[in-house]
Amino acid sequence: MNYKVKEVADLVGISIRTLHHYDEIGLLSPAKITEAGYRLYSEEDLEILQQILFFKELGFSLKKIKEIINSPNFNREEALLQQRKFLQEKQQRLEKMIETLDKTIKYTRGEINMSDREKFEGFDFSKNPYEQEAREKWGDKAVDHANEKLEKLTVEGKKALGNEADEIYKKLAALKDKVSPASPEAQTAIKEWFDYLNINFGNYSLQAFKGLGQMYVADERFTRNIDQYGEGLAEFMCKAMELFADSNSR
Amino acid sequence: MNYKVKEVADLVGISIRTLHHYDEIGLLSPAKITEAGYRLYSEEDLEILQQILFFKELGFSLKKIKEIINSPNFNREEALLQQRKFLQEKQQRLEKMIETLDKTIKYTRGEINMSDREKFEGFDFSKNPYEQEAREKWGDKAVDHANEKLEKLTVEGKKALGNEADEIYKKLAALKDKVSPASPEAQTAIKEWFDYLNINFGNYSLQAFKGLGQMYVADERFTRNIDQYGEGLAEFMCKAMELFADSNSR
DNA sequence: ATTGACCATCACGTAACGTGATGCCTTATA
DNA sequence: TATAAGGCATCACGTTACGTGATGGTCAAT
């Protein structure tokens, strides 16, 4: 049920260091940690890891992957279907490269002629060709949408005093240098934030709330907006939100 | 006829910086440089670049690629055929990943069950799976390392008589003007050489053995050393080694 | 003669780990 | 039950393959 680092590494064919790294950057943290500090990965962790590796195969950066799987409108099945499509496209690219290769072989034998352009058909090392499409699905539009609201709450909210969000931000900004994210004061303020979001925008699950917090630090646009209330506020909130979600679930 | 950096970059789909980088590390330097210092790439340069990118697609490091295409026994057509094979293997890996993906989709829908092992079929992010094979074809550090020792064996071996290597060299030197490299006598002596190398230095594949033979004539230092036992011995051995490798591999 | 697109060379930055070094944990075996 | 081997953890610095400006020369067209 619970895998240790080496077991996971051997099972999926990656290095232990890679797992450490993913933990470090918060991309994939093990479900449990023993008293001795050993990482224990659950079956669900494995499934997230699978997702991560599919995206990696497609050339996404870890940062992007993190954004995607933490996106509020990320959907497992949709992602899998999308990845299927991408993998097929990649296969076609490979097919084209093989054709180019075949032509080149004939060319070196002097059997045919080949233009310089033809010599590079199927090649595309420029940019990740899938990113644009993925961005439309999970990235900017969705994020922008959430961000728009947030911007109203931060930038304009600053002017519109008496705004509840503004008050909460200020309260948190004042707390962030004095107490830890785990402190009762911070957790109380974070609960206000949680309730505020649930009243004003759809309903946030604890999981989604935690994900949102991670977005605050993962996505620059959020970070910028939030940090207007004080440098490091985004990070402080992220931690507080995670703690809040973890301690209130189960 | 002559392409400037941006033209190459656009044609191939890589960045200008990449070309600069390849020049810096001596992987691909332009055929010409203008007075003003502009890089001008020839058609041949493009073909080398194509080779480089094929290898890159297969996950080889730039260092490895440099070693390969500078290897004395590098052969353009052979490389292309090898790459074709590798690309096809990669395609199959992708195929497997897609199958895994399909299974996973069904699995998330609860239609089927899936073991943790199955969830990662087709994955292999561990090591470059093609490197081993390429290593045998074009040789690598391990071979180079053994070659250093070999050099000592030829130079110093002459003095340390009774040395087995010395005996084999002498036997071959005596044969080279009397029989052909394909003769049973020569092949028997060459087999002794092959066994000797395998006993004394790691294990030589037949491919590596053949490559080593080609090195004897391609690299002056080897030629000089070997030919101390008799003019033309290096060439004789090269042919004998190639025949030995080809007839024993089937 | 000037402008704008292109070229060059630093030189520092970054991503995704690799690679020890050092020390605690655990488990099979004597 | 002791002990040794193998696994795990955390630094912390190294590496690969470029990205990203900054700064300044070059060239063809206006």
Side-chain angles (χ1 to χ4, degrees):
Chain A
M1 199 70 205
N2 279 327
Y3 296 96
K4 281 185 276 183
V5 272
K6 208 206 170 200
E7 293 164 351
V8 177
D10 288 347
L11 182 63
V12 309
I14 60 179
S15 75
I16 292 177
R17 179 70 236 266
T18 299
L19 288 171
H20 283 171
H21 186 59
Y22 291 175
D23 192 2
E24 265 175 42
I25 64 173
L27 177 58
L28 177 65
S29 299
K32 274 190 203 168
I33 293 194
T34 70
E35 297 246 319
Y38 283 29
R39 275 166 257 254
L40 294 181
Y41 292 86
S42 69
E43 213 179 316
E44 200 196 328
D45 288 337
L46 284 188
E47 278 157 23
I48 297 174
L49 183 54
Q50 190 210 35
Q51 279 285 325
I52 290 171
L53 295 182
F54 275 132
F55 277 118
K56 230 192 107 187
E57 174 74 26
L58 293 168
F60 288 85
S61 74
L62 298 185
K63 195 180 165 191
K64 207 92 210 145
I65 297 176
K66 191 178 172 187
E67 274 177 34
I68 291 175
I69 64 184
N70 286 335
S71 169
N73 46 344
F74 174 75
N75 170 294
R76 175 97 191 274
E77 194 176 328
E78 193 184 11
L80 288 168
L81 287 168
Q82 190 71 15
Q83 284 166 336
R84 206 196 117 91
K85 197 179 142 207
F86 287 160
L87 282 181
Q88 274 181 332
E89 282 174 28
K90 189 166 181 178
Q91 229 181 1
Q92 281 168 20
R93 252 194 56 219
L94 264 184
E95 189 64 46
K96 202 137 213 183
M97 282 190 78
I98 291 178
E99 277 172 32
T100 300
L101 200 40
D102 283 342
K103 263 198 221 165
T104 308
I105 291 170
K106 282 186 190 166
Y107 168 73
T108 62
R109 288 178 182 153
E111 292 171 18
I112 60 167
N113 205 358
M114 223 179 157
S115 76
D116 287 335
R117 215 161 293 91
E118 285 176 307
K119 285 173 193 161
F120 294 93
E121 266 178 57
F123 286 66
D124 194 5
F125 294 84
S126 51
K127 275 276 172 182
N128 182 339
Y130 318 106
E131 234 189 89
Q132 183 54 34
E133 217 168 322
R135 169 161 305 172
E136 283 165 25
K137 266 239 151 61
W138 301 291
D140 299 352
K141 249 190 233 163
V143 173
D144 283 347
H145 190 59
N147 205 20
E148 263 175 48
K149 292 180 191 169
L150 190 80
E151 224 174 316
K152 278 182 197 153
L153 287 181
T154 53
V155 183
E156 295 173 18
K158 278 190 86 164
K159 293 163 198 160
L161 295 184
N163 180 312
E164 197 181 340
D166 186 71
E167 297 295 332
I168 301 176
Y169 274 126
K170 280 184 182 164
K171 191 181 292 182
L172 281 162
L175 284 170
K176 82 172 166 51
D177 293 320
K178 285 189 248 167
V179 299
S180 86
S183 68
E185 293 95 323
Q187 288 297 306
T188 306
I190 273 298
K191 184 185 185 329
E192 282 181 49
W193 183 232
F194 180 66
D195 293 339
Y196 175 80
L197 288 179
N198 268 307
I199 289 164
N200 291 281
F201 316 101
N203 61 328
Y204 272 79
S205 71
L206 283 165
Q207 276 295 346
F209 187 61
K210 181 176 170 181
L212 184 64
Q214 287 178 15
M215 194 83 96
Y216 286 180
V217 298
D219 193 303
E220 292 175 15
R221 291 160 300 175
F222 280 99
T223 318
R224 251 198 307 275
N225 280 329
I226 294 171
D227 278 8
Q228 285 177 6
Y229 283 91
E231 182 115 359
L233 180 57
E235 206 184 327
F236 182 79
M237 285 183 71
C238 170
K239 281 179 190 156
M241 287 163 85
E242 180 170 359
L243 287 164
F244 178 80
D246 287 347
S247 64
N248 283 67
S249 64
R250 188 190 41 94
Chain B
M1 200 72 203
N2 279 327
Y3 296 95
K4 280 185 277 183
V5 273
K6 208 209 169 197
E7 293 164 351
V8 176
D10 288 347
L11 181 64
V12 187
I14 61 179
S15 75
I16 292 178
R17 178 71 235 266
T18 299
L19 288 170
H20 283 172
H21 186 59
Y22 291 175
D23 192 0
E24 265 174 43
I25 64 173
L27 178 58
L28 176 64
S29 299
K32 274 189 205 170
I33 293 195
T34 70
E35 296 246 320
Y38 283 30
R39 275 166 257 253
L40 293 181
Y41 292 86
S42 69
E43 212 178 317
E44 200 196 328
D45 289 336
L46 284 188
E47 277 158 25
I48 297 175
L49 182 55
Q50 189 209 36
Q51 279 286 324
I52 291 171
L53 294 182
F54 275 131
F55 277 117
K56 230 193 108 188
E57 174 74 26
L58 293 168
F60 288 85
S61 73
L62 297 186
K63 195 179 165 193
K64 208 94 211 144
I65 296 175
K66 192 179 170 186
E67 274 177 34
I68 291 175
I69 65 184
N70 287 334
S71 168
N73 47 341
F74 173 75
N75 170 295
R76 176 95 191 275
E77 194 176 327
E78 194 184 9
L80 288 167
L81 287 168
Q82 190 71 16
Q83 286 167 336
R84 204 196 118 90
K85 197 178 141 207
F86 286 160
L87 282 181
Q88 273 181 333
E89 280 173 29
K90 189 166 182 179
Q91 228 180 1
Q92 280 168 22
R93 253 194 55 219
L94 265 184
E95 190 65 45
K96 206 144 211 173
M97 283 190 77
I98 292 178
E99 275 172 35
T100 300
L101 199 41
D102 284 341
K103 263 198 221 165
T104 308
I105 291 171
K106 282 187 189 163
Y107 169 72
T108 62
R109 288 178 182 153
E111 293 171 17
I112 61 168
N113 205 358
M114 220 178 160
S115 78
D116 287 336
R117 216 162 292 91
E118 285 175 307
K119 285 173 194 161
F120 295 94
E121 264 177 59
F123 287 66
D124 194 4
F125 294 82
S126 51
K127 275 277 172 180
N128 182 338
Y130 318 106
E131 240 190 82
Q132 183 54 33
E133 217 168 322
R135 169 164 304 171
E136 283 166 23
K137 264 239 152 61
W138 298 293
D140 74 333
K141 260 189 226 145
V143 174
D144 286 343
H145 188 62
N147 286 346
E148 268 175 43
K149 290 184 190 165
L150 196 75
E151 211 175 328
K152 281 182 194 156
L153 274 184
T154 52
V155 181
E156 296 172 15
K158 276 193 86 168
K159 293 161 199 164
L161 296 183
N163 179 311
E164 197 183 342
D166 185 71
E167 296 296 329
I168 301 176
Y169 274 127
K170 280 184 181 167
K171 192 181 290 181
L172 282 161
L175 284 170
K176 81 171 167 50
D177 294 321
K178 284 189 250 166
V179 298
S180 86
S183 69
E185 294 94 324
Q187 288 297 304
T188 305
I190 274 298
K191 185 184 184 329
E192 282 181 46
W193 184 231
F194 181 66
D195 292 339
Y196 175 78
L197 288 178
N198 269 306
I199 288 165
N200 291 280
F201 318 101
N203 60 328
Y204 272 79
S205 70
L206 283 165
Q207 278 292 350
F209 187 62
K210 181 176 170 182
L212 183 65
Q214 289 177 13
M215 197 87 97
Y216 286 180
V217 298
D219 192 306
E220 289 179 17
R221 293 165 309 164
F222 282 99
T223 318
R224 250 198 309 272
N225 282 328
I226 294 170
D227 278 8
Q228 285 174 7
Y229 284 90
E231 182 113 357
L233 179 57
E235 204 184 324
F236 181 79
M237 284 181 73
C238 171
K239 281 179 190 157
M241 286 163 84
E242 180 170 357
L243 287 164
F244 177 79
D246 288 346
S247 64
N248 283 67
S249 60
R250 184 181 38 96

